[in-house]
Amino acid sequence: MVLPMPSVPGGAPTSYTLSMRKPLTALIFVQVFVCFMKIMGLDFLGGLYAGIVVGLGYYALNNGMDVQILMYYGMMCLMNGVFDLVRLLDVIFKSPLPLFAGKLGVMYNLGSLAVVLAPVCGGCGAYMAYKIYQDQQNGGSSLYSAQGQPTSYTQGLPTHYGTTRTHKFAPFAGNGTRLGDA
């Protein structure tokens, strides 16, 4: 791996991480719009990168807000956001046309909106992932009430979150035999 990432404590997502599910969903919807507009604007490589970011975010959402996947999502958002910021600055300072113009039509203005939203979405995704990482590093808050019952945040999660799985498989059990003795 080119960029070393700090280790993320495993286990169940914290209540803060689970509370970020709706904002992350909204952000991914905006990123889908940006991805679609990049492809419509013939920026296929930018659309591909945005699609990978959307895919990582969607995968994290459907995997119970897995913190490690969210960290990869945050890193991709950061890198993609920097590239999109450079593109926005290029459009602002080098384009002979204004960023938004009523005379140029709806598609032009939607493309300009996507150019503006792309670095904002990248920054928001990176910041959100960073805050989730900080919460996970600090231990977050308990997912279970004092009685051991799941809180409202854990209702839809698989039952193995927060528990230790026990396996009945025992390696190297039984008598060993040497080759040629059989």
Side-chain angles (χ1 to χ4, degrees), residues 79-157:
M79 290 187 295
N80 211 13
V82 168
F83 291 138
D84 289 332
L85 181 63
V86 170
R87 176 170 163 93
L88 174 64
L89 294 174
D90 186 51
V91 167
I92 289 173
F93 293 115
K94 291 189 177 180
S95 177
L97 299 172
L99 194 57
F100 295 100
K103 296 181 275 183
L104 295 176
V106 174
M107 286 305 290
Y108 177 82
N109 288 324
L110 284 176
S112 294
L113 180 63
V115 168
V116 171
L117 284 177
V120 172
C121 288
C124 288
Y127 181 73
M128 199 178 301
Y130 176 69
K131 294 304 280 184
I132 289 171
Y133 171 75
Q134 275 186 328
D135 184 62
Q136 193 78 15
Q137 286 293 94
N138 295 336
S141 59
S142 177
L143 292 175
Y144 291 90
S145 65
Q147 294 80 21
Q149 297 298 318
T151 61
S152 62
Y153 287 118
T154 59
Q155 293 298 78
L157 293 177

Side-chain angles (χ1 to χ4, degrees), residues 1-8 68 71-72 75 78-79 133:
M1 180 175 216
V2 176
L3 295 173
M5 292 189 61
S7 64
V8 178
Q68 187 171 11
M71 294 306 101
Y72 291 132
M75 288 298 293
L78 180 67
M79 290 187 295
Y133 171 75

